[in-house]
Amino acid sequence: MRVAFLGLGIMGRAMASNLAKAGHEVTVWNRTAGKDVEGARSAASPAEAARGAEVIWLCVSDTKAVDSVLFGPQGVHESLTQGMTIVDSSTISPSATRQFAERVGAQGVDYVDAPMTGSKAGAESGTLIFIVGGEESAIEKLKPLFAATGKKFFRMGETGKGQAAKLVMNLQIALIYEGFAEALTLAAKLGVDAETLLPLIQASMVNSGVVEYKAPFVLKRDFSPNFPLRLMHKDLRLALDAAKELRVRLPGLETVEEIYDVADEDGHGDLDYAATLTLLEKWAGVEVKGVSA
C-alpha cells in the first residue's frame, strides 16, 4: 500500500519504519528536516508526501500541528483526491477531529482517528494498541497497516470517538501513576523502602499495568522519555477542555494537571511523565530509594 507518513517523533519514526519493513511503499515527512527512515522516501512537504498516496498517516504533536499539516501552506489538502484515507494517530481534540473530518470529507476523503497506546517500546516492537474512530469500511482498508505497527485495535465508534477514548485512557494513567508516586513519596518519608513496598503492591488489589510498567524505571531512577511529560500534560489539558465543553467536573484531574504545570515549569517537560515523582520528592524533602541506592 502507498502510505504517506507525516511526523517522525519518538513514536512516528518507529511506526513508519515498521510499515516499510512490512513491504508498504512509504513516503515520510517531518517538520524538522534530517530525520530519515530506512526503506522510505523523504518528501519536502506534506503536500509532496501525500501526492499519489492511498493512505495519509499523521503522528504529530497536537491539534494545531494537525491543522497545519492538513490545511496549512503546502499542506495535505493540496494533494487530496477522492478515495484517499487520512488516519491520525496524534492525540488531539475530539471536536477538532470531527471538524477536520468534515472538511476532507467534502473532497471524498475518509478520515479515521487512531491514537495509540504502548509508548516507545510498543512502537519499536510493532505492538501498539490503536484506539479507533471512523467508518467501518475505512477501517477495513487500514487493517494491514495496523497489523504492521500494532497488535490490536479497538473501534470506539464514529470519527472522534477514538480521540475521546484516548483522552479518558490517559486521564486514568495519569491519576493511577500519581497515586503510585505519592505512595512512594510518603513511604520514603515514613522510612519504608520502595523495593520492600513494591512486592506488596504487586500482590494486592492496588497493582495495575501502570505500576508494573513504570516501577522498574522508577526504581532505577530512569526518567528518559518513553512518553514525554509535556505530551501527557497536553493530553490532560485536552481532557479538561473536553470536560469543560460538556460541563463535566473532573476535580482529581484538575489537581494532577496543576502538578504537571509545576513540573513543566521546573524544566521536566522532555523527561518521562514519571518524573512528576521528583517534584513530590522535592516538596517532601526525600528521595525514593532505587536499586542503585
Side-chain angles (χ1 to χ4, degrees):
M1 196 176 296
R2 297 188 304 278
V3 183
F5 201 98
L6 312 178
L8 301 178
I10 291 174
M11 307 286 277
R13 191 170 188 178
M15 292 165 67
S17 176
N18 284 332
L19 289 172
K21 289 174 183 175
H24 297 285
E25 186 181 328
V26 182
T27 300
V28 297
W29 171 86
N30 192 62
R31 185 174 308 220
T32 304
K35 288 188 176 181
D36 299 320
V37 172
E38 186 176 353
R41 182 179 71 86
S42 295
S45 69
E48 181 189 329
R51 201 168 296 128
E54 298 169 83
V55 173
I56 301 158
W57 200 335
L58 283 68
C59 188
V60 294
S61 58
D62 54 28
T63 306
K64 184 178 179 181
V66 173
D67 192 2
S68 175
V69 169
L70 290 177
F71 305 112
Q74 296 187 300
V76 165
H77 71 101
E78 296 181 8
S79 300
L80 292 179
T81 58
Q82 189 168 356
M84 286 180 169
T85 300
I86 293 173
V87 53
D88 183 20
S89 286
S90 318
T91 301
I92 67 168
S93 161
S95 57
T97 293
R98 293 191 295 271
Q99 293 168 13
F100 298 155
E102 288 176 8
R103 290 180 69 178
V104 302
Q107 296 178 257
V109 174
D110 289 320
Y111 195 105
V112 173
D113 49 309
M116 64 278 186
T117 186
S119 292
K120 179 182 177 183
E124 291 174 345
S125 63
T127 57
L128 293 169
I129 296 172
F130 292 97
I131 308 164
V132 183
E135 294 297 325
E136 289 187 0
S137 57
I139 295 168
E140 185 69 28
K141 179 180 177 180
L142 298 172
K143 283 184 177 180
L145 305 183
F146 290 148
T149 52
K151 62 180 179 180
K152 288 184 180 180
F153 75 89
F154 295 86
R155 181 178 183 263
M156 296 291 107
E158 67 269 18
T159 303
K161 293 294 177 64
Q163 296 292 357
K166 175 63 187 294
L167 294 185
V168 302
M169 291 288 286
N170 278 5
L171 180 159
Q172 293 174 81
I173 289 170
L175 267 63
I176 291 167
Y177 180 74
E178 178 63 20
F180 179 53
E182 290 187 11
L184 292 180
T185 302
L186 181 57
K189 197 72 174 180
L190 291 168
V192 178
D193 185 79
E195 290 185 83
T196 303
L197 181 64
L198 189 59
L200 171 61
I201 291 174
Q202 292 171 327
S204 74
M205 66 181 295
V206 300
N207 194 34
S208 72
V210 175
V211 171
E212 289 283 355
Y213 186 78
K214 287 299 180 186
F217 294 100
V218 169
L219 291 180
K220 290 186 291 185
R221 301 199 64 79
D222 177 4
F223 299 115
S224 54
N226 283 300
F227 184 21
L229 186 149
R230 60 183 170 78
L231 294 183
M232 177 65 95
H233 191 194
K234 178 263 298 182
D235 293 352
L236 302 188
R237 289 195 298 258
L238 285 171
L240 289 172
D241 288 345
K244 186 176 181 180
E245 288 175 13
L246 299 170
R247 300 179 65 83
V248 174
R249 284 294 310 276
L250 301 174
L253 185 61
E254 290 171 4
T255 300
V256 171
E257 195 272 333
E258 291 175 2
I259 293 170
Y260 277 75
D261 267 336
V262 178
D264 251 340
E265 289 172 2
D266 276 8
H268 298 326
D270 288 326
L271 298 178
D272 192 83
Y273 72 86
T276 53
L277 171 67
T278 63
L279 190 63
L280 301 173
E281 291 173 325
K282 183 174 78 171
W283 290 340
V286 296
E287 182 177 296
V288 173
K289 299 300 182 183
V291 293
S292 61

